[in-house]
Amino acid sequence: MASARAGCQDAPVNRAALRVLVTGGTFDKDYHELEGRLYFRQTHVQEMLRLGRCKLAVEVETLMLIDSLEMTDADRQRVLAACRAAPEERVVITHGTDTMEQTARTIGAAGLAKTIVLTGAMVPYTFGSSDGLFNLGSALAFAQALPPGTYVAMNGRFFRWDDVRKNRLTGVFEERG
Amino acid sequence: MASARAGCQDAPVNRAALRVLVTGGTFDKDYHELEGRLYFRQTHVQEMLRLGRCKLAVEVETLMLIDSLEMTDADRQRVLAACRAAPEERVVITHGTDTMEQTARTIGAAGLAKTIVLTGAMVPYTFGSSDGLFNLGSALAFAQALPPGTYVAMNGRFFRWDDVRKNRLTGVFEERG
Amino acid sequence: MASARAGCQDAPVNRAALRVLVTGGTFDKDYHELEGRLYFRQTHVQEMLRLGRCKLAVEVETLMLIDSLEMTDADRQRVLAACRAAPEERVVITHGTDTMEQTARTIGAAGLAKTIVLTGAMVPYTFGSSDGLFNLGSALAFAQALPPGTYVAMNGRFFRWDDVRKNRLTGVFEERG
Amino acid sequence: MASARAGCQDAPVNRAALRVLVTGGTFDKDYHELEGRLYFRQTHVQEMLRLGRCKLAVEVETLMLIDSLEMTDADRQRVLAACRAAPEERVVITHGTDTMEQTARTIGAAGLAKTIVLTGAMVPYTFGSSDGLFNLGSALAFAQALPPGTYVAMNGRFFRWDDVRKNRLTGVFEERG
């Protein structure tokens, strides 16, 4: 089924149906004017899709809005369950970068017959200098064009779920090697 | 050779080497403060790659900085020649949206064994509401993940060179059908 | 009457009632996605006041939305009439920079007992690098704090209506000298 | 001397010499990509002046880069001393909003023969939705046009040092009443 989607013999097919699962992360943080701190108000994914003039049939589902350092095993199981339950074969997950590799392993190890791409941002979208819009464009494209599997899309690249880590010193994603 | 790169049996390989050919288009237009009009000063692609924290080994080559309505057949041949001459197997072309489909046909018909993705923007990058960063992230991802061929990446989607057009009324790219 | 407002003996009084007369200019230009050119859609003054968390009781009145190079004598008379008709003693006029000095002279020569400040922008507000928000904050402040008269507020400074010109080479406002 | 500057009989004089004293505050906060928190790196005042195409002869002096909740009495005395030592008769102080009114009282009570204007922002300048640029434009204008005294410039308005407070519930500055 999945092979029909991204087969070699056939030309690649442009499947629009794609689900974005929102979990929070730096991506979606806002500045709280009265308290002078970062917090979650709501996701910016829809606004970013509008800005990108995105015409894919995207379903956005907010699972949680948390910092990924606070994500528990139970939260990860919830994300995995949402991937499994999604009627779409292509899923993008927005996620904090600090524990993105752990969630990727939880989902990747489940071996679903779907293309699942985790992405996030180093700087909140609401900041002028965010990488969020670039990463979202990149993740949606990888989700459409890569064969089934679980991937991380950061820094303009994609990584397989079992070969990725965030370099804590540089903030850059790289192969585990 | 190209098939080895994006084979079906093999897991997808993360090839960094990618060339961005700049031709201009809305993407790169700036506002001329003294003359009160839009013009080309220089490309913003490098700045956008920095903003996206892009860590791909990208080579940026500026071929021309023109409005795509002014692009001649000779210009298109120059773009095709640059695709052919590129040592990289993956190429992204930034291009005005008005005649992007024509340039895609010129390049696609040549049948190079490379993955070539044309992209652009509806609004200049220097405007706050530009789709440029989203489109660039998307095009770089498609160029890495799609099999050899020529494509247009706009509106979060990809289109094959022989089945794409810009809808003049809506400004949205769609299949020729 | 005006002297009571900004008298020397008395401490300065914080009068909120202020009118913004919109005439267009670079300030308010938008990018037309389908036609690839700059145009006027609507004024951004209210949006800018919200962004500035402005709590002055400001009345915004759109007189016209035109490029100041197209402003006729009849248009200038209309702006002057609106200044005269305004119930507020303090007026800010948003205006294209190219003929701002002419409109300032038309209004200044009328000698109204009001503080009237013309301002504009070198770059449209919708561009990320606009001076518009800075200039609007500056013009509203000058309109509250300067004695009756007609002024131009640009480049962080204020100029009297009979001693100002835009330097065509640098785009900077300066004394006529 | 100061009276000569903003006299009633005389037309207002456009004095360029103005000093900006930087103390930090929300205004100047940056997002730390690796640590996911707000911090001070350096002031953005010069960058904001460039964006505003400001041509005033402004001297920018960074006294400290701190959150105003951490400002001590000794810090306030340092700010006062800098106001006193400044060769300019017009001073703008960038400051966190939480204790701006306290610093205004410390400086105002000293009764210097200078026009001193405190300003800040509810949202960091590096965020797209900041009020900082508007407030800076406003503060520079008030500093040029108001008679000697100490003022707070926020929300498009100015307040005297002995009649201002930040409303903790709304984040808006208002008269103490």
Side-chain angles (χ1 to χ4, degrees), chain C residues 142-165:
Chain C
F142 282 131
Q144 290 172 78
L146 288 175
T150 298
Y151 308 89
V152 161
M154 286 295 290
N155 304 304
R157 304 177 61 196
F158 70 94
F159 303 88
R160 293 192 315 200
W161 64 272
D162 54 358
D163 190 20
V164 59
R165 70 167 167 209

Side-chain angles (χ1 to χ4, degrees), chain A residues 8 11 14 51-56 123 129 131 133-134 137-138 140-142 144-146 155-158 160 172, chain B residues 8 11 14 51-56 123 129 131 133-134 137-138 140-142 144-146 155-158 160 172:
Chain A
C8 252
N14 205 340
L51 191 62
R53 278 81 176 157
C54 185
K55 299 299 174 191
L56 279 175
V123 170
S129 62
D131 50 342
L133 195 63
F134 180 85
S138 155
L140 290 171
F142 282 130
Q144 290 172 78
L146 288 175
N155 303 304
R157 305 177 61 197
F158 70 94
R160 292 193 315 200
V172 173
Chain B
C8 254
N14 205 342
L51 191 62
R53 279 81 176 157
C54 186
K55 300 298 172 190
L56 279 175
V123 169
S129 61
D131 51 340
L133 194 63
F134 179 86
S138 155
L140 291 171
F142 282 130
Q144 291 172 78
L146 288 176
N155 304 302
R157 304 177 62 196
F158 70 94
R160 293 193 314 203
V172 173

